[in-house]
């Protein structure tokens, strides 16, 4: 049977590599692929003799050790966490099931007593060993989980909390992070996508960047793609804009819940409005730590569990994803079993009982006091800085330059000239185009300025707001009522940090209680549009964008970048610079 010939569009899509880097996972694939390759976005480097040790944790570090039930310190540790946990538990007990009956809960003492009596069962099979004998000085992806924490490898995650992982320890400089990204991405290109790096000049790259970005970091990433890795051309697209393309909607208030950050913004016709953008430094990993804290409160039978060890951190993440839900019809305690495969130990199977902890933990994104476990509840939210607050010497014609040289910026000079008789009486209004440019720049400054105060997303006591309040705050910063109405009618939830059964309905109900009355009949939550996994919605949208006919004007080539630098990126960017 003859093989059908590929169309020019299909051939073009095979030469486009779409890269979506995240705090936990990297998603990379050809634009023609149905699903991207997903790999743990981490690298382990062998330390040089006498070198300093550094290991980035998989989960955010807990601010205190977890008290066991019945210990003297259990009542005094993190009182705001305990107070919030009890309040949410009481709220759940006052709810009703779908058939109208009231919910019931198994007493925590009964669950704890069962878990204390639970003993692990040994499973026959070979023991696993640490894999420090792997060939080479670099280890990538999931293989880093099986390196001995006390061994000779340093562990690095290049992205944390949705931005480059810059710190003062080993591997925390911008050049080190870029080297880590280059090594990881080239590894995926060669080993997973089977791309010859020597042929990369014939390939194009699309990089999905955060909705709130640092202009200096964008410069480094573009240099990485075009000059260091060697793609022939590239363009950058914001993750929220790509998500609307992936979901097939023209406008939406996009809520992206990742592993370590939650971001919200309003997108219309491929433009993310700067004044509506906010990033909150909590995500699925913080939910995992809150869940682990609650498991410990009910005598978690796997007593040696240590979230600082990568394989235990991923076990807790797996338990959260399997057990977590927001289904009010599930009441009382449930008996669950899970297996633990630790290096140099026999595989064991544990049995535990779990109650409403499986519901309370996912609800932490609404009740941020539960994030006091990691301190994320006190982290200052991030908003988009205007270009005037983030200037770059290479960009000679940025918004700040235009503002300073515009008509409005020269009023004092004109006044001096008038007093000297150098300008005619009508000279002040001879060029309306200059006035128009200046007024447009002033309007942009006002729009971004409304959002510049991060404290608007904090509660009076210094507590970060929940995801439902962030949605309302973001939409209310839209410039007009018509746009607000459109955004309330389509709230798009993407990312892998909030994939719990029933949580979208909970979000919809919480938002409906806070939005103005005139919009209450119009809000709608979209979670799995077109049956696409929420984790890859943005990647899929970037792949779709790269194949559009209009994308031909977006590509930034290596000669253009080498010659013009940041200026050409600003001119060709598909987002408001």
């Amino acid at each position: 049977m003859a093989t059908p010939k590929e169309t020019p569009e299909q051939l073009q899509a095979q030469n486009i590599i779409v890269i979506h880097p995240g705090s936990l996972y990297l998603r990379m694939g050809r634009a023609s692929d149905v699903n991207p390759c997903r790999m743990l976005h981490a690298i382990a480097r062998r330390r040089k003799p006498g070198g300093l040790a550094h290991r980035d944790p998989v989960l955010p570090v807990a601010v205190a050790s977890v008290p066991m039930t019945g210990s003297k310190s259990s009542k005094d540790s993190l009182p705001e966490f305990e107070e919030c946990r009890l309040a949410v538990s009481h709220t759940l007990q006052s709810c009703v099931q779908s058939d109208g009956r009231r919910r019931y809960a198994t007493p925590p003492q009964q669950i704890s007593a069962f878990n204390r009596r639970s003993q692990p069962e040994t499973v026959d099979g070979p023991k696993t060993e640490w894999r420090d004998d792997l060939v080479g000085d670099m280890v990538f992806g999931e293989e880093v989980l099986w390196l001995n924490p006390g061994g000779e490898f340093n562990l690095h995650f290049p992205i944390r909390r949705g931005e480059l992982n810059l710190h003062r320890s080993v591997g925390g400089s911008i050049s080190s992070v870029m080297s880590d990204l280059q090594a990881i991405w080239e590894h995926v290109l060669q080993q997973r996508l089977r791309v010859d790096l020597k042929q990369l000049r014939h390939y194009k790259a699309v990089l999905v960047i955060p909705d709130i970005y640092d202009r200096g970091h964008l410069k480094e990433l573009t240099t990485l793609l075009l000059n260091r890795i060697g793609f022939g051309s590239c363009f950058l697209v914001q993750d929220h804009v790509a998500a609307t393309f992936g979901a097939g909607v023209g406008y939406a208030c996009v809520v992206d819940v990742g592993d370590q950050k939650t971001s919200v913004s309003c997108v219309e016709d491929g433009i993310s409005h700067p004044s509506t953008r906010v990033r909150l430094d909590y995500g699925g990993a913080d939910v995992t730590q809150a869940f682990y804290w609650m498991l410990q409160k009910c005598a978690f039978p796997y007593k040696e569990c240590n979230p600082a060890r990568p394989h235990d951190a991923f076990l807790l993440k797996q338990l959260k994803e399997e057990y977590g839900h927001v289904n009010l019809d599930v009441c009382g305690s449930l008996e669950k079993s899970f297996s633990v495969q630790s290096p140099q130990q026999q595989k064991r199977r544990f049995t535990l009982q779990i109650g409403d902890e499986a519901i309370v933990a996912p609800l932490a994104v609404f009740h941020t006091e539960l994030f006091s476990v990691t301190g994320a509840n006190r982290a200052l939210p991030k908003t988009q800085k205007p270009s005037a607050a983030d200037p770059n010497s290479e960009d000679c014609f940025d918004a700040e330059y235009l503002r300073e040289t515009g008509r409005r910026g020269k009023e004092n000079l004109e006044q001096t000239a008038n007093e000297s008789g150098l300008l005619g009486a009508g000279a002040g209004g001879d060029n309306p185009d200059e006035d128009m440019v200046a007024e447009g720049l002033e309007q942009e400054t006002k729009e971004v300025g409304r959002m510049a105060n991060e404290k608007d997303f904090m509660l009076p006591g210094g507590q970060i707001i929940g995801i439902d309040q962030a949605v309302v705050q973001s939409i209310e910063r839209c410039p007009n009522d018509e746009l607000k109405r459109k955004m309330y009618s389509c709230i798009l939830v993407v990312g892998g940090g909030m994939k719990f059964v029933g949580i979208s309905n909970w979000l919809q109900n919480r938002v409906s209680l806070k939005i103005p009355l005139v919009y209450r009949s119009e809000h709608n939550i979209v979670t799995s549009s077109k049956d696409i996994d929420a984790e890859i919605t943005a990647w899929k949208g970037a792949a779709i964008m790269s194949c559009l006919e209009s994308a031909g004007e977006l590509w930034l080539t290596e000669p253009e970048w080498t010659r013009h630098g940041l200026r050409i990126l600003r001119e060709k960017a598909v987002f408001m610079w």
Side-chain angles (χ1 to χ4, degrees):
M1 183 176 177
T3 304
K5 292 185 178 180
E6 294 178 318
T7 65
E9 291 78 9
Q10 290 173 323
L11 291 173
Q12 178 189 5
Q14 289 180 4
N15 287 341
I16 298 175
I17 305 296
V18 182
I19 308 170
H20 185 190
S23 299
L24 186 64
Y25 289 109
L26 166 69
R27 295 172 181 86
M28 184 187 295
R30 293 177 170 85
S32 57
D33 294 340
V34 176
N35 294 310
C37 163
R38 187 182 83 157
M39 189 183 82
L40 189 67
H41 204 190
I43 180 174
R45 293 182 180 272
R46 195 183 300 273
R47 282 195 301 276
K48 295 180 180 179
L52 297 176
H54 176 82
R55 292 184 65 85
D56 286 328
V58 175
L59 297 178
V61 178
V63 297
S65 59
V66 182
M68 295 298 293
T69 304
S71 67
K72 293 182 179 179
S73 63
S74 62
K75 294 183 180 180
D76 301 328
S77 299
L78 296 179
E80 58 183 335
F81 175 89
E82 275 302 298
E83 183 179 344
C84 182
R85 184 184 67 84
L86 291 173
V88 176
S89 297
H90 293 156
T91 300
L92 292 174
Q93 291 179 28
S94 65
C95 295
V96 295
Q97 303 177 56
S98 59
D99 58 5
R101 292 183 298 173
R102 292 197 60 167
R103 296 187 76 253
Y104 61 90
T106 304
Q109 299 83 353
Q110 181 178 328
I111 295 177
S112 298
F114 176 92
N115 289 335
R116 284 196 195 93
R117 294 192 303 268
S118 177
Q119 296 297 321
E121 174 189 350
T122 303
V123 179
D124 293 335
K127 294 181 180 180
T128 59
E129 300 293 335
W130 298 115
R131 301 177 187 171
D132 286 31
D133 58 347
L134 291 169
V135 178
D137 293 331
M138 293 185 293
V139 179
F140 303 94
E142 283 71 14
E143 289 185 334
V144 306
L145 302 178
W146 303 105
L147 296 174
N148 191 336
E152 55 183 9
F153 280 89
N154 286 347
L155 177 59
H156 303 282
F157 284 86
I159 298 179
R160 299 271 86 173
R161 298 295 185 191
E163 60 185 12
L164 298 183
N165 185 19
L166 305 181
H167 53 82
R168 296 184 178 180
S169 184
V170 178
S173 66
I174 186 70
S175 58
S176 296
V177 172
M178 287 297 130
S179 295
D180 289 342
L181 288 174
Q182 179 178 357
I184 296 171
W185 296 0
E186 288 181 348
H187 171 80
V188 176
L189 286 169
Q190 287 182 294
Q191 303 300 322
R192 302 288 186 92
L193 301 183
R194 303 301 178 186
V195 174
D196 185 356
L197 297 184
K198 296 179 181 179
Q199 301 297 320
L200 273 182
R201 66 182 182 277
H202 302 300
Y203 285 82
K204 301 177 179 181
V206 179
L207 180 64
V208 181
I209 63 171
D211 213 50
I212 294 178
Y213 50 82
D214 182 292
R215 292 170 180 82
H217 294 174
L218 298 189
K219 171 191 169 185
E220 296 290 342
L221 290 168
T222 307
T223 300
L224 173 64
L225 290 173
L226 295 178
N227 296 137
R228 297 178 61 175
I229 296 180
F231 282 103
S233 58
C234 75
F235 74 80
L236 313 182
V237 59
Q238 291 169 293
D239 50 5
H240 288 196
V241 173
T244 60
F245 277 84
V249 294
Y251 56 84
C253 175
V254 181
V255 183
D256 186 352
V257 185
D259 182 71
Q260 297 206 345
K261 59 87 181 174
T262 296
S263 55
V264 184
S265 78
C266 295
V267 179
E268 180 188 30
D269 297 332
I271 297 295
S272 171
H273 291 266
S275 61
T276 66
R277 300 176 197 163
V278 63
R279 188 178 76 225
L280 311 171
D281 282 350
Y282 58 76
D286 298 278
V287 175
T288 302
Q289 279 284 31
F291 183 57
Y292 174 56
W293 189 282
M294 284 183 271
L295 287 178
Q296 289 287 79
K297 296 287 287 183
C298 63
F300 188 45
Y302 177 30
K303 297 179 176 58
E304 315 93 90
C305 183
N306 182 3
R309 294 190 300 228
H311 60 278
D312 279 346
F314 268 81
L315 171 67
L316 293 173
K317 179 178 180 292
Q318 177 187 347
L319 296 182
K320 175 202 68 176
E321 293 172 349
E322 290 182 1
Y323 301 163
H325 66 90
V326 190
N327 183 358
L328 298 180
D329 288 343
V330 178
C331 306
S333 62
L334 297 176
E335 194 169 305
K336 302 284 187 178
S337 63
F338 63 94
S339 298
V340 175
Q341 180 74 75
S342 298
Q344 299 179 332
Q345 291 184 0
Q346 203 73 30
K347 186 176 182 179
R348 292 169 294 168
R349 181 178 291 112
F350 291 86
T351 302
L352 84 158
Q353 277 191 358
I354 188 170
D356 278 351
E357 293 83 4
I359 302 180
V360 176
L363 293 182
V365 294
F366 303 98
H367 305 275
T368 54
E369 294 89 344
L370 295 172
F371 291 141
S372 59
V373 173
T374 61
N377 62 318
R378 300 289 175 178
L380 194 65
K382 308 293 192 305
T383 55
Q384 183 64 60
K385 292 182 180 179
S387 57
D390 189 18
N392 191 287
S393 57
E394 278 191 30
D395 193 4
C396 301
F397 299 98
D398 61 4
E400 180 65 14
Y401 171 86
L402 296 175
R403 187 177 297 107
E404 290 297 327
T405 57
R407 184 75 172 177
R408 301 293 185 185
K410 295 189 290 183
E411 288 180 352
N412 293 334
L413 180 62
E414 289 175 354
Q415 183 177 355
T416 304
N418 279 325
E419 291 173 355
S420 303
L422 299 177
L423 292 178
D430 285 346
N431 195 341
D433 290 342
E434 290 186 358
D435 288 331
M436 189 180 302
V437 170
E439 289 173 3
L441 290 170
E442 287 182 356
Q443 181 64 32
E444 179 188 350
T445 303
K446 290 179 181 178
E447 182 183 0
V448 178
R450 283 186 321 202
M451 188 61 181
N453 189 0
E454 291 89 352
K455 293 183 179 179
D456 291 346
F457 291 90
M458 302 288 285
L459 298 175
Q463 184 84 14
I464 198 169
I465 62 175
I467 194 172
D468 52 334
Q469 294 169 291
V471 168
V472 175
Q473 281 270 32
S474 176
I475 295 177
E476 285 301 309
R477 292 176 181 275
C478 291
N480 56 67
D481 291 341
E482 180 60 29
L483 186 57
K484 292 178 185 179
R485 180 172 284 104
K486 292 168 68 174
M487 295 303 154
Y488 278 122
S489 69
C490 185
I491 300 174
L492 175 64
V493 180
V494 297
M498 209 171 80
K499 295 172 65 176
F500 302 104
V501 173
I503 200 167
S504 60
N505 292 332
W506 194 277
L507 174 61
Q508 184 160 345
N509 293 333
R510 295 273 299 189
V511 169
S512 67
L513 297 175
K514 294 180 171 61
I515 65 177
L517 185 62
V518 293
Y519 306 122
R520 288 191 180 179
S521 62
E522 304 181 29
H523 70 289
N524 184 40
I525 309 292
V526 180
T527 54
S528 57
S529 181
K530 291 189 172 181
D531 297 325
I532 296 177
D533 187 345
E535 288 189 35
I536 66 169
T537 303
W539 182 90
K540 180 64 73 174
I544 293 172
M545 286 185 66
S546 68
C547 298
L548 296 176
E549 185 177 348
S550 57
E553 301 176 2
L554 305 179
W555 297 107
L556 173 63
T557 65
E558 187 273 331
E560 286 178 323
W561 176 250
T562 302
R563 180 177 181 181
H564 301 289
L566 203 59
R567 289 173 293 167
I568 194 69
L569 177 59
R570 173 178 55 81
E571 291 173 7
K572 284 198 171 186
V574 293
F575 44 88
M576 297 174 64
W577 187 253

